[in-house]
């Protein structure tokens, strides 16, 4: 999920009562909820699609979820001691308890992969013990409805607290509604997968029920047919490549890339990450690899790999 969602999940947990456990509880929860995304720094040293193979892996796995909160708790504890020595520590701040700081940072960190698992991008929950990708297919990566719920509840609870009231029921109610919302979306995805949506025989070889932005009750039905083509119920022309305005865009037979990926780090990273890879014809007749979940022929850098030395063998459009 996006970092705004992660941040407000940490904030609503604090408003639900956890911030009363120790000084600096809110920073521990909010920063902790974003901490696994330190892997975004890989953009400084990785090129092209190599980030796809690195992100949502090692910093989202079990060892990181233990160590990252420990580092954060140590920094916050040291910050409190530093302010005390300088005489700048706020008088209203509760005593800082390291054990509670670590526990809250851990809860914040744990909420991060739990949310990331909910979308179609995927997450390697067991890294470094296993590189298997897990997909929840439950929420779109940016969910405005979740934004509205979290921002509204945090703001309302803060306002009530400032007026001397108890903010905890508001935040706890928001958490209950959020969990119910996730549950309903999970049920929609489950039902769509069970029925294959509106698709009829011949049934697809592979199928993804992908959540959509805003219209959370709908699912983009992404499917791979027996001939290897990927189609989508919610994309232009309902067929990747054939529905695009550029008539040169055609799906190609996916070649054997076993040898090529050994010497091409971009290709290897893409195929390691891709859940629904397909080949499309470039203007010069060569091949471009896309992923059916993130298909956009106008933005070829982030979620695609060009293979200029591979000739496109087109699949039938019918």
């Amino acid at each position: 999920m996006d970092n705004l969602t992660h941040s407000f999940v940490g904030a609503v947990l604090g408003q639900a009562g956890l911030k009363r456990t120790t000084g600096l509880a809110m920073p521990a929860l909010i920063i902790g909820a974003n901490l696994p995304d330190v892997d975004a720094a890989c953009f400084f040293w990785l090129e092209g699609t190599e980030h796809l193979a690195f992100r949502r892996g090692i910093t989202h796995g079990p060892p990181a979820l233990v160590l990252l909160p420990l580092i954060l708790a140590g920094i916050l504890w040291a910050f409190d001691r530093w302010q005390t020595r300088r005489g700048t520590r706020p008088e209203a701040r509760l005593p800082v308890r390291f054990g509670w700081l670590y526990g809250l940072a851990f809860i914040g960190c744990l909420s991060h992969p739990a949310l990331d698992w909910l979308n179609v991008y995927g997450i390697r929950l067991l890294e470094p013990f296993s590189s298997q990708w897990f997909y929840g297919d439950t929420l779109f990566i940016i969910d405005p409805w979740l934004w509205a719920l979290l921002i509204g509840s945090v703001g309302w609870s803060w306002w009530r607290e400032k007026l001397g009231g108890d903010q905890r029921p508001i935040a706890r109610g928001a958490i209950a509604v959020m969990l119910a919302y996730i549950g309903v979306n999970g049920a929609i995805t489950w039902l769509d997968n069970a029925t294959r949506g509106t698709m009829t025989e011949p049934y697809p070889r592979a199928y993804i029920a992908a959540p959509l932005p805003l219209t959370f009750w709908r699912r983009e039905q992404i499917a791979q047919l027996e001939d290897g083509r990927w189609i989508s119920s919610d994309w232009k022309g309902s067929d990747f490549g054939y529905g695009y305005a550029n008539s040169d865009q055609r799906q190609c037979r996916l070649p054997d890339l076993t040898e090529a990926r050994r010497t091409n780090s971009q290709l290897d990273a893409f195929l390691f990450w891709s859940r629904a890879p397909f080949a499309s014809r470039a203007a010069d007749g060569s091949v471009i690899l896309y992923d059916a979940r993130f298909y956009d022929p106008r933005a070829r850098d982030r979620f695609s790999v060009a293979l200029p030395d591979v000739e496109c063998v087109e699949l039938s459009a019918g």
Side-chain angles (χ1 to χ4, degrees), residues 141-223:
I141 195 168
I142 296 177
D143 192 312
W145 301 104
L146 209 52
W147 279 0
L149 171 65
L150 292 170
I151 295 173
S153 61
V154 169
W156 184 16
S157 66
W158 177 82
W159 177 74
R160 172 175 284 190
E161 185 180 15
K162 287 296 181 183
L163 294 179
D166 187 357
Q167 86 287 352
R168 290 174 296 180
I170 297 173
R172 291 171 183 176
I175 292 172
V177 172
M178 178 180 68
L179 292 176
Y181 176 71
I182 292 171
V184 167
N185 274 274
I188 293 171
T189 295
W190 177 86
L191 182 62
D192 195 276
N193 274 306
T195 60
R196 290 296 193 260
T198 58
M199 295 186 175
T200 57
E201 295 188 61
Y203 293 113
R205 182 193 304 175
Y207 184 84
I208 301 171
L212 293 166
L214 289 177
T215 54
F216 68 87
W217 56 90
R218 297 176 58 234
R219 293 295 179 268
E220 179 184 4
Q221 297 157 10
I222 303 172

Side-chain angles (χ1 to χ4, degrees), residues 224 227-228 250-261 267 270-271 277-281 285-290 305-315:
Q224 185 184 34
D227 63 3
R250 294 288 186 271
Q251 288 193 45
C252 314
R253 193 173 305 282
L254 194 64
D256 182 1
L257 300 169
T258 305
E259 292 297 325
R261 66 184 300 179
L267 173 62
F270 178 86
L271 291 177
F278 72 92
S280 181
R281 183 184 186 277
S286 64
V287 165
I288 299 175
L289 290 186
Y290 294 99
V305 174
L307 301 175
D309 298 327
V310 179
E311 184 179 354
C312 174
V313 178
E314 291 188 10
L315 293 167

Side-chain angles (χ1 to χ4, degrees), residues 68-80:
L68 289 176
L70 185 61
I71 295 171
L72 175 58
I75 292 173
L76 292 176
W77 183 85
F79 174 72
D80 181 72

Side-chain angles (χ1 to χ4, degrees), residues 4-5 29 32 57 59-60 82 102 105 120 127 148 162 170 193 247 253 269-270 281 290 296 316:
L4 182 63
T5 300
L29 286 163
T59 63
H60 291 62
W82 177 74
Y102 177 66
V120 299
E127 198 73 73
K162 287 296 181 183
I170 297 173
N193 274 306
S247 61
R253 193 173 305 282
F270 178 86
R281 183 184 186 277
Y290 294 99
D296 185 353
S316 170

